[in-house]
Amino acid sequence: MTQGDKHPVGERYIDRTEAPVRASGRLTLILLALSLLLLVGAAVYGLFNDYRNMLDREGKATANLADGVQVYVTETLRQSLFSLEGVAKDLEGAGDSATADRLAALRGAMRYDPASAVLGLRAAHDLLMVDGSGQRLDWPALKAALDTALTANSGRKLAVLPVVYVAELHDWYLPVQLDLTARVLGVDAAFALIAARKLVEASASVRLLPGAYLSVVNPDGYRLFQYYVDTQAIKGEQGRVSPGSVAQLRSGKLDSFQAVSSLTGRPTLFGISMSKQLPLAVSVGIQLDVLEQAWLRRSLGQMLLVLVTSISGIYFALRLMTASRKERDYLRRQEYLANHDSLTGVLNRYAFQRRLRQCLDEAQPQPLVVLLLGLNRFKEINDTLGHLAGDVALAEVARRMQAAFGTEAGFVARLSGDEIAVAAPLRACAGGVDGLCASVAAVIGSGITVDGIALELDASVGVAVFPDDARTPSDLLRCADIAMYAAKRDMRSHERYTEALDHYTAASLAMKTDLSQALREGGLSLAYQPKVDLASGALVGVEALSRWVHPDKGAVSPAVFIPLVETTELIHPFTRHVMGEAVVQCRRWLDAGHRVPVAVNISVNNLMDASFVDMVRALLAQHAVPAGLLELELTEGALMRNPETALRRLAELRALGLKLSIDDFGTGYASLAYLKKLPVDSLKIDKSFILGLAGDEADKRIVRSTIQLAHSFGMVVVAEGVETQEVADLLRKKGCDLVQGYLYARPLPAADLAAQWLEVVTDTGG
Ligand code: C2E
Ligand code: CA
Ligand code: CA
């Protein structure tokens, strides 16, 4: 597994961590909100329950209170009743008693009566009364009051009557009346007055709630008197209790209940107790709102607690939410950073590889083109205009690439430094790989202005295609990288990956071994292709082209093994070998009487070799071959790579008397203006412009202007790859000097060449 096949850091970070964090954040929030709801709900329920309990408690307390007061009132009144019974018994059966007898009976009863304030007899509207000390009372106001009160009573044996105000005593008294009409001759009734205040003594334990009162009522619901606990006021106005209270009374249930008080008109909690011995009941009423207020005051703390808890809970939840939002934003930012290049905003290497993998992992992956762009001379921009300008230019290039190729199916990334990668489905590329490369060149080529300075940018593009070249993202990138370096080396706008470019495959390593063996053991040979004068058709020289027949594989194309040689140290022995062969061959032809100039292809690394010139000089000297018969072919790329050294070497070679020519012209970037400075004799137009010349207007224009300019610099123009007469005619019309191509001859073994061409030369020339 290569490095790129592992999961990149960014991917792990995003796909495996972020989603759970998001989910757990949401879960926390939901849990929090739920527990908050529960908390508030429990608190409210607690309060509500507390309220109900309070009502319950107060109800029971009120009922108990009513009961207590009732028992006390009953017991007190029974003492008075006992006195009245005593008086009745004294006078019973004694015939028409005298006032003195009656007074004596009253006084006798009073002596044992701690409850009654007044005891009296009523006989036909005449009232006879004694006070607690047995003193006869003759108070007119009292008499008047009692007159009405007692008269109101009729038909009952025993009656407890509404209170009367005794002006002489400045207070209210409750009359109890025992009907004697049937028992004592001449006497209607015996009665006792009991201080109302004394009766309610038992209510001292009633809590001092404002508005709390107790009523003593008769079984029909008529009030005998009221006592207001907080003001300690007794009121005697008559009236009936509320219908609800009457119903309760009638039902005989001694309990608490809620009803609207007919006295205050307010909802009130009542406790009622009915006397078993006397026709009376006691009710205690406490206003509900008063109770509620008291309860509220008590519960205020609790409510505050609920409120504070809720508020702090909400605050906490909000804080948590902001925190989790911040965390999400942070993660999103991290995700972005993990996937994007910070300078240009396009994808980074990891994201690019991941998207590539997604494309390749599809059920039926589509053929895909991966382009790797290396900006040429980008270092110059950085060096001359500063890194900031370089960054601006890079960002602009990335932006344009993104705009042009960042489609639904295509994507753009900056891999490092000045390297930008593009991936696009092959079917989406108009004009195939070449079309895609042309549009990349067009996008980059339209000038960029940085700091007011117009920059001309171009790029070398390496192309790798899935599935032809590689099947994994990292291999695709590696192939594109290799192709890009080949394009850079050869100063070409783009290069498609071939295995020949790849010096690190097992196959190419084996081939390298085999090649060096062939080099040692003489497995290599040379073929010679004639260069022909276009005007006369005469042979003007040959180009030596290497041939290798592999023991197992058979003939191997130079397009395969030359790149292997050129990128390793093999290039030095290889070129020495080729050059040696060519010079030896040249010597043989000389010996046979033919002056045949031989052209040998050399590589840029040969030019960089300090001993190269000496080697050439020694070879020529060794075989006594005139330097003028040896020509060296160099590609423009080779000349541009290290221009100073190249120029120096070329000058040295030229000084030896060698001929120099520029090979494959038109595929690189060298301008003719630059080439003009070079000490070269001829220029070979690359066969890609020649092969289809007859049908391509653009090629025609390029060829025509190249010929014109080269001529104006004094160079000889060679067209290579001439396959048809039509092209040859066209080239002749345009003024091309020499041609090379299958139309005239394929590269031939030396013997064949001699047989087919040299005799002719000898014949015509001799
Ligand atoms: P090149 O220097 O451009 O050589 C010309 C190539 O074009 C040769 O391919 C030749 O066979 C081919 N050619 C000639 N006429 C025609 C034509 O009419 N139509 C077509 N389609 N092709 C034609 P070859 O021999 O396969 O060589 C390929 C390349 O290998 C050469 O391109 C050259 O760059 C390199 N090469 C070959 N031998 C040597 C060598 O000894 N040393 C170095 N450094 N490079 C070599
Ligand atoms: Ca050549
Ligand atoms: Ca060539």
Side-chain angles (χ1 to χ4, degrees):
M1 199 189 244
T2 59
Q3 177 66 35
D5 288 331
K6 289 175 194 154
H7 279 291
V9 179
E11 183 179 5
R12 190 163 44 225
Y13 191 56
I14 299 143
D15 295 352
R16 315 246 164 95
T17 319
E18 216 247 356
V21 166
R22 227 180 247 173
S24 84
R26 210 175 301 133
L27 194 74
T28 315
L29 268 183
I30 290 171
L31 281 178
L32 195 87
L34 271 179
S35 45
L36 204 74
L37 260 171
L38 264 172
L39 195 78
V40 173
V44 169
Y45 176 76
L47 275 173
F48 175 71
N49 228 19
D50 190 51
Y51 175 76
R52 290 237 321 245
N53 287 340
M54 177 276 290
L55 281 186
D56 226 48
R57 229 176 20 249
E58 290 295 339
K60 280 199 185 96
T62 317
N64 282 342
L65 200 66
D67 221 30
V69 174
Q70 179 270 120
V71 168
Y72 186 78
V73 170
T74 302
E75 283 311 313
T76 310
L77 293 189
R78 274 186 55 193
Q79 290 175 1
S80 299
L81 206 59
F82 188 71
S83 301
L84 296 182
E85 278 291 345
V87 172
K89 272 194 190 116
D90 277 357
L91 300 179
E92 235 170 2
D96 198 3
S97 53
T99 301
D101 298 334
R102 292 177 185 171
L103 262 178
L106 289 173
R107 282 181 179 134
M110 189 55 109
R111 200 173 306 145
Y112 304 101
D113 186 346
S116 309
V118 173
L119 284 176
L121 289 166
R122 182 168 150 243
H125 294 292
D126 191 27
L127 297 176
L128 182 68
M129 299 179 284
V130 296
D131 66 6
S133 57
Q135 204 77 50
R136 183 174 174 179
L137 293 178
D138 212 7
W139 294 340
L142 175 61
K143 275 189 176 164
L146 280 175
D147 211 29
T148 24
L150 298 179
T151 309
N153 171 56
S154 59
R156 278 183 209 237
K157 193 172 172 291
L158 177 69
V160 185
L161 302 169
V163 285
V164 291
Y165 186 74
V166 181
E168 288 85 351
L169 291 173
H170 310 292
D171 212 347
W172 293 89
Y173 287 82
L174 184 78
V176 179
Q177 176 184 318
L178 187 67
D179 192 85
L180 295 180
T181 30
R183 288 170 69 182
V184 180
L185 198 66
V187 175
D188 297 335
F191 63 91
L193 293 181
I194 305 99
R197 207 164 289 285
K198 187 180 173 79
L199 288 175
V200 294
E201 264 169 8
S203 71
S205 63
V206 174
R207 267 174 304 127
L208 271 176
L209 288 177
Y213 65 88
L214 58 88
S215 303
V216 177
V217 300
N218 72 15
D220 295 329
Y222 285 96
R223 293 194 181 85
L224 305 179
F225 72 94
Q226 267 86 239
Y227 174 65
Y228 293 90
V229 180
D230 50 352
T231 56
Q232 298 190 338
I234 286 171
K235 291 218 171 122
E237 55 262 45
Q238 299 226 357
R240 217 168 171 207
V241 294
S242 64
S245 309
V246 176
Q248 286 281 330
L249 276 176
R250 295 244 160 94
S251 79
K253 267 195 238 144
L254 304 180
D255 206 355
S256 70
F257 61 95
Q258 289 176 34
V260 175
S261 162
S262 59
L263 271 180
T264 58
R266 314 272 279 274
T268 304
L269 181 69
F270 289 107
I272 275 198
S273 178
M274 189 97 158
S275 169
K276 288 195 181 85
Q277 289 104 354
L278 294 175
L280 65 86
V282 170
S283 92
V284 174
I286 295 173
Q287 275 176 33
L288 265 183
D289 52 359
V290 173
L291 277 179
E292 280 164 356
Q293 277 160 24
W295 171 78
L296 273 179
R297 270 196 299 281
R298 251 183 300 121
S299 307
L300 206 66
Q302 202 183 337
M303 283 174 172
L304 269 174
L305 201 72
V306 170
L307 203 74
V308 167
T309 312
S310 308
I311 288 173
S312 57
I314 289 167
Y315 174 75
F316 179 64
L318 285 177
R319 284 287 299 267
L320 201 81
M321 255 159 71
T322 343
S324 81
R325 191 179 335 107
K326 270 193 195 143
E327 190 185 356
R328 262 205 312 281
D329 289 349
Y330 173 77
L331 284 174
R332 216 171 283 143
R333 177 106 197 100
Q334 289 299 309
E335 176 186 336
Y336 182 85
L337 289 179
N339 282 297
H340 292 83
D341 172 53
S342 55
L343 173 64
T344 61
V346 297
L347 299 179
N348 60 20
R349 181 183 286 271
Y350 299 121
F352 186 77
Q353 285 199 330
R354 201 177 63 239
R355 286 207 46 186
L356 264 186
R357 183 176 294 110
Q358 281 167 4
C359 293
L360 305 191
D361 282 352
E362 275 169 19
Q364 279 167 332
Q366 300 291 311
L368 195 86
V369 189
V370 174
L371 301 186
L372 191 62
L373 283 80
L375 292 177
N376 291 321
R377 298 185 302 281
F378 188 69
K379 194 176 167 300
E380 283 172 31
I381 296 178
N382 275 336
D383 290 349
T384 51
L385 300 180
H387 284 270
L388 223 62
D391 286 354
V392 172
L394 207 55
E396 174 61 13
V397 169
R399 192 193 62 72
R400 288 185 185 181
M401 295 301 289
Q402 177 69 32
F405 304 105
T407 54
E408 231 170 88
F411 43 98
V412 175
R414 178 184 175 220
L415 302 191
S416 65
D418 59 353
E419 282 181 10
I420 290 171
V422 178
L426 190 55
R427 65 181 149 74
C429 305
V433 170
D434 288 335
L436 184 65
C437 290
S439 32
V440 167
V443 167
I444 293 185
S446 55
I448 288 177
T449 309
V450 175
D451 288 345
I453 298 169
L455 301 176
E456 289 290 333
L457 289 179
D458 55 58
S460 294
V461 179
V463 184
V465 177
F466 168 87
D468 302 356
D469 301 332
R471 291 174 166 274
T472 68
S474 50
D475 280 353
L476 275 170
L477 274 179
R478 196 181 68 86
C479 292
D481 195 53
I482 287 166
M484 184 193 80
Y485 275 100
K488 268 200 194 286
R489 186 191 61 215
D490 299 341
M491 294 281 168
R492 290 162 63 89
S493 64
H494 67 270
E495 188 81 65
R496 165 83 188 268
Y497 170 85
T498 61
E499 222 173 276
L501 295 175
D502 199 342
H503 314 298
Y504 299 100
T505 62
S508 68
L509 280 176
M511 193 169 277
K512 243 181 265 178
T513 311
D514 296 348
L515 189 67
S516 56
Q517 191 183 357
L519 198 55
R520 276 196 310 276
E521 297 169 2
L524 292 166
S525 63
L526 286 180
Y528 300 92
Q529 187 177 35
K531 288 182 186 176
V532 177
D533 183 275
L534 190 53
S536 66
L539 177 82
V540 291
V542 292
E543 178 179 1
L545 293 160
S546 294
R547 292 291 176 263
W548 177 29
V549 181
H550 190 276
D552 312 320
K553 297 191 178 94
V556 182
S557 162
V560 173
F561 71 82
I562 292 296
L564 276 187
V565 170
E566 285 189 330
T567 51
T568 59
E569 287 302 302
L570 270 183
I571 188 64
H572 304 299
F574 179 84
T575 304
R576 210 177 304 132
H577 171 84
V578 171
M579 202 99 81
E581 283 258 299
V583 168
V584 166
Q585 185 57 54
C586 195
R587 179 71 256 165
R588 280 190 202 127
W589 282 326
L590 275 176
D591 291 344
H594 309 295
R595 284 182 64 89
V596 184
V598 180
V600 171
N601 293 286
I602 64 166
S603 136
V604 62
N605 287 331
N606 295 132
L607 274 193
M608 298 302 122
D609 176 11
S611 65
F612 182 70
V613 179
D614 288 341
M615 187 270 286
V616 175
R617 186 191 294 119
L619 255 183
L620 291 172
Q622 186 189 347
H623 300 285
V625 169
L629 288 184
L630 185 61
E631 184 169 350
L632 301 182
E633 294 190 5
L634 272 145
T635 61
E636 338 169 29
L639 292 171
M640 298 287 291
R641 195 85 62 78
N642 196 339
E644 281 118 69
T645 314
L647 203 66
R648 205 168 59 240
R649 286 283 189 276
L650 289 186
E652 288 169 18
L653 291 166
R654 195 70 183 303
L656 280 184
L658 267 69
K659 293 242 162 54
L660 301 173
S661 95
I662 291 170
D663 204 355
D664 297 350
F665 182 78
T667 56
Y669 298 99
S671 66
L672 269 172
Y674 169 73
L675 297 179
K676 181 178 125 180
K677 296 183 197 153
L678 298 174
V680 293
D681 304 277
S682 56
L683 187 146
K684 298 182 79 175
I685 303 176
D686 189 70
K687 56 178 175 287
S688 60
F689 299 98
I690 305 296
L691 289 170
L693 187 68
D696 193 316
E697 289 307 311
D699 284 354
K700 278 182 194 161
R701 271 202 307 282
I702 291 169
V703 169
R704 191 193 315 122
S705 54
T706 305
I707 292 171
Q708 281 171 3
L709 265 163
H711 280 166
S712 74
F713 300 152
M715 295 178 189
V716 172
V717 180
V718 184
E720 56 178 24
V722 181
E723 293 185 345
T724 64
Q725 191 58 52
E726 199 186 356
V727 170
D729 293 343
L730 268 171
L731 286 167
R732 188 178 302 116
K733 240 188 271 166
K734 292 186 196 300
C736 182
D737 304 303
L738 306 180
V739 284
Q740 195 182 337
Y742 295 168
L743 176 66
Y744 305 95
R746 294 197 171 243
L748 302 164
D752 293 359
L753 184 105
Q756 292 172 26
W757 289 83
L758 295 185
E759 303 317 320
V760 179
V761 172
T762 317
D763 282 350
T764 51

